[in-house]
Amino acid sequence: MIHITLPDGSQREYPGPVTVAEVAASIGTGLAKAALAGKVGTGDDAKVVDTSFVIDKDMPLSIVTAKDADGLDVIRHSTAHLLAYAVKDLFPDAQVTIGPVIENGFYYDFSYKRPFTPEDLVAIEKRMAELAAKDEPVVRRVLPRDEAVAYFKGMGENYKAEIIASIPSNEDVSLYREGGFEDLCRGPHVPSTGKLKFFKLMKVAGAYWRGDHRNEMLQRVYGTAWATKDDLQQYLHMLDEAEKRDHRKLGRELDLFHIDEHSPGTVFWHPKGWALWQEVEQYMRRVYRDNGYQEVKGPQILDKTLWEKTGHWDKYRENMFTTESEKRDYALKPMNCPGHILIFKQGIKSYRDLPLRYGEFGQCHRNEPTGGLHGIMRVRGFTQDDGHVFCTEDQIQPEVLAFTTLLQKVYADFGFSDIIYKVATRPEARIGSDESWDKAEAALINSLEASGCEYVISPGDGAFYGPKIEYTLKDAIGRQWQCGTIQVDFSMPERLDAEYVGEDGDRHRPVMLHRAIVGSLERFIGILIEQHAGAMPTWLAPVQAAVLNITDAQADYVREVAQKLQKAFPNQGLRVATDLRNEKITYKIREHSLQKLPYILVAGDKEKAAGAVAVRARGNKDLGVMSVDAFIELVAKDIAAKA
């Protein structure tokens, strides 16, 4: 008898070997129809298999459907093969190469004599739908490696033959056939093409064979696939929204910044963009001040020997910008941590000084590849809201608890309330005792539980020197951005010989907590621009109000109103623009509306005589005529609310 253990703990008996599909059918016809694959085994030994997989011994099994994450991967993997099937059907001379699953979809690389056109993509997608509608079974078979090489060479599929030839000669390879198309693949795949219903081809891009620029340039066709029509439409809507919100496009339209070929990967901030930057930086500076951080500033260039001690020179050298002077090698700092330890080491530190919190708006440089640069989201020169806490092991948990609470407050002020918490635990290659790792991991987990946060464990994803929490925020259209982090570091204080005098009078190593809330200010501002689609809340808006005249007769009054608004906010001044151009008022209102200003104030003869302004709020909301003092009260409440 074969005993199958189901996810609910119940068991089913079968007189002999049984397929996943047969198990699903024995449970119910609904499950049999929904089954895309099976998952056998548990823990690290679990694997996803075809519904045709034969179970010949006792084992756990769960039936994978479109509702499962594994099911979505199977759908996307199978849709990549459906794409290749359609391409070969329409363009028999095309050669297929590889087609993996990627985030939100898949791609497949092809070698073809001419570039695919947008019209070709439409035709390919249509043919995919026709092939899927045939509901052809997807059948697996296994061949010896050399036989598989000869098989694909015989079909003229030289790329496939090359891939298979790189597999050890004593191994068999699996092939999957659907209709007239057969492809090399480990699987698993859906049982038939009819399971593939909700997909769309997105674009074509170039890709070198095996990622080597010396090889042929292939054509990479990207697509997306989902379990339901609603999921597909939601994703396409998100992409449409993302295009509208693209920070690069809005950065140009709102005159915030630009990227220049004279300094790739760095940002040229324009006056309005720098006003936004300063608001974010000054806000974070107040966060430092109000939460026990001492702001410090380290140098940009540090000697090679320091980076050798920290291990960065060996492990991170290719990402560092270097220079030389007087026969000494230096590097532009890619991070701020070593500088903070050098500051900590100045003078004797006592246990009474701990926890000691340093914060720095430290400018860092990393030699990112040109192809990876993306507006102000991925740059070579960036500034971090960097902080380091030097503490004892007993202080890790309360410090992390306080940090999480602070981070939640900061994110909420910037308009983010949905946060994902992940605890990355010890990797196999690590330093430090199991006892210290146990303590550090427990402190991180306990701090999140004390905060009432739901979290996931990411086994083995911690740094070699200690575990960490990663804080990922969700934006207005559901995208995820990992910004905040707090990491426990036992290594760097040891490597750079940082010490404090304990209560026992002996020397001890502090624990170093690396922490950031917004991370790179450049990237975070890019996220803010996209989160708010450029329409910043009043407290962040580069220009908070514009005062417009109708005729030249109100020009002096407009200047007086602007000056009064600025003086009403003595600490920082309201960011006010005046528009005295000889243009129609409707034209000026429309132009400033396109700049997404929170408020537009209009002054004509009546408003001037009454000492008032006509107020329009963003979104074409007419708030009517009010006194300047009433408007000051309104905007003050708006700024304070950070709405």
Side-chain angles (χ1 to χ4, degrees), residues 262-329:
H262 292 92
S263 184
T266 59
V267 187
F268 290 80
W269 291 98
H270 300 188
K272 289 197 288 186
W274 192 242
L276 171 57
W277 171 290
Q278 281 299 314
E279 197 59 44
V280 174
E281 180 179 327
Q282 296 309 320
Y283 170 89
M284 293 307 302
R285 181 164 277 117
R286 292 191 293 273
V287 167
Y288 281 173
R289 182 193 64 207
D290 296 342
N291 290 275
Y293 286 83
Q294 301 177 55
E295 190 174 339
V296 297
K297 186 69 174 176
Q300 288 293 104
I301 299 176
L302 294 163
D303 191 278
K304 167 187 173 182
T305 56
L306 178 69
W307 302 112
E308 288 175 331
K309 289 178 183 177
T310 64
H312 289 98
W313 195 261
D314 291 333
K315 297 179 180 179
Y316 205 72
R317 167 69 182 82
E318 63 184 20
N319 297 105
M320 299 168 71
F321 288 101
T322 60
T323 187
E324 181 269 338
S325 176
E326 297 180 340
K327 299 183 179 180
R328 290 179 65 181
D329 291 322

Side-chain angles (χ1 to χ4, degrees), residues 107 109-110 205-211 216-220 222:
Y107 69 77
D109 288 349
F110 301 94
Y208 291 109
W209 169 236
R210 293 191 180 276
E216 180 191 351
M217 175 70 78
L218 304 174
Q219 297 188 68
R220 177 166 294 176
Y222 286 94

Side-chain angles (χ1 to χ4, degrees), residues 176-206:
Y176 284 81
R177 174 176 290 278
E178 49 199 272
F181 176 71
E182 192 165 29
D183 202 358
L184 167 72
C185 190
R186 293 176 182 172
H189 282 280
V190 295
S192 67
T193 59
K195 303 290 186 184
L196 310 175
K197 299 177 180 178
F198 310 108
F199 52 80
K200 184 170 182 59
L201 299 185
M202 307 302 295
K203 64 178 180 178
V204 181

Side-chain angles (χ1 to χ4, degrees), residues 5-21:
T5 304
L6 300 176
D8 63 1
S10 64
Q11 284 195 340
R12 287 183 171 260
E13 290 185 349
Y14 300 89
V18 61
T19 66
V20 171

